[in-house]
Amino acid sequence: MAQASGAEIPQIKSRIGAILRATSGNFLEQFDFFLFGFYASAIAKAFFPAQNETAALLNAFGVFWLGALMRPVGAIVLGSYIDRIGRRRGLIVTLGIMAIGTVVIAFCPGYETIGIAAPVIVLLGRLLQGFSAGVELGGVSVYLAEIATPGNRGFYTSFQSSSQQVAIFVAAILGYVLSEVMPAETVAAWGWRIPFFIGCLIIPFIFVLRRTLEETPDFLAMKKHPSASEVFASAVANWRIVILGMMMAVLTTTTFYFVTVYTPTFGKTVLKLSTPDALIVTLLVAVANFIWNPVGGALSDRIGRKPVLLTIACLSLVTAYPALHWLIAAPTFGKMLAVEMMFSFYFGVYSGTMLGALVEVVPAHVRTTCFSLAFALAAGLFGTFTPFASTWLIGHTGDKASPAYWLMCAAALGIIAALAIYRDGETIATRDAVPA
């Protein structure tokens, strides 16, 4: 294997630094999202009192999902801003909005203290987070794609998703430590806020990292940057590409929220496993996700996006229900780990491929807006709805393996999208993109 020359080493370090600075905001977003899912039971009791545990959980997951519905709004408003003003300045703005939402949720008093104002304030915090998240992932993916070296776009963009797994890992570690040093009653009463406070403390550090970002060469090379009205008009004109992009991204978002945000609740309330067991599984899933994402991106750089997308989507379609049925028949830590690792493999390889594919199929002049809108629709309508949908399916069917139906629908959409996007050896961007 050839070794990097002395001249190449500074360039490699510079690119690694750019990746770290760009993806730092993803850490904050997913750190808070995971904590909301893991401590859903405690949050439900603190802010959404109800007659039974299932109703309280549905209230909490409902607010979690409502925040995600702001993603498409953020994708359009903030996406047009980034396409017009620049990647660097836009990513700093999105981080500021996300930080405000995180602080609001962390410091909001409970229902017993301020009554109905508590769930209202938490909802406002989630709406701010969703508004920011609508363009955060797209903005970072576009940034990474535009600084990628030739032939490595899939590998570079995959680190957008890999960076989120670091947040899941850290959050799972904190949750595990809390469960070991605090009684369960204390964690449920107020201990769950500690990880949220820690998230607030790292915000200044992330701001420092983001401020040192450099603008991408692709954006600087554009002779004309579209106005907000031109971005909106182009996004509408390219609606078919956006919808197919959304369908392609659905499998990524649903599988991600299932193996991270919903897994701790599934392990504790459905499978009746211990809190430490559920956390350890989530921690190991985060490690596996971190590894599989760049593997998927690099593989798609070598053999193409279409075969990887279709293979993983087909595997997910035929194995989701059998795997969950096998797990719920006799739940154990080992079986839960095995099933989650299977889904982690599907998520990581598919996501690492999908991110590069989505950057390539959306029009370049409105790349951030169309990418963000497609991903935001996938996350808002499907991905972040996964915990709610899974809880509802189990409650109304009595089948603890029924969340598989949700994952199978996502896989079917992915298959349809891949076949439509990569038809006849060319992409939809080549055939159907509408110019500015």
Side-chain angles (χ1 to χ4, degrees), residues 249-260 262 347 378-379 381-387 406-411:
V250 165
L251 183 56
T252 289
T253 60
T254 53
T255 308
F256 174 76
Y257 282 100
F258 183 82
V259 300
T260 55
Y262 183 64
F347 161 73
L381 299 179
F382 296 90
T384 50
F385 193 57
T386 298
W406 188 248
L407 300 177
M408 292 166 67
C409 288

Side-chain angles (χ1 to χ4, degrees), residues 60-70 126 379-382 384-385 388:
F61 283 138
V63 169
F64 184 81
W65 178 60
L66 285 173
L69 291 182
M70 284 296 290
R126 287 290 300 128
L381 299 179
F382 296 90
T384 50
F385 193 57
F388 185 97

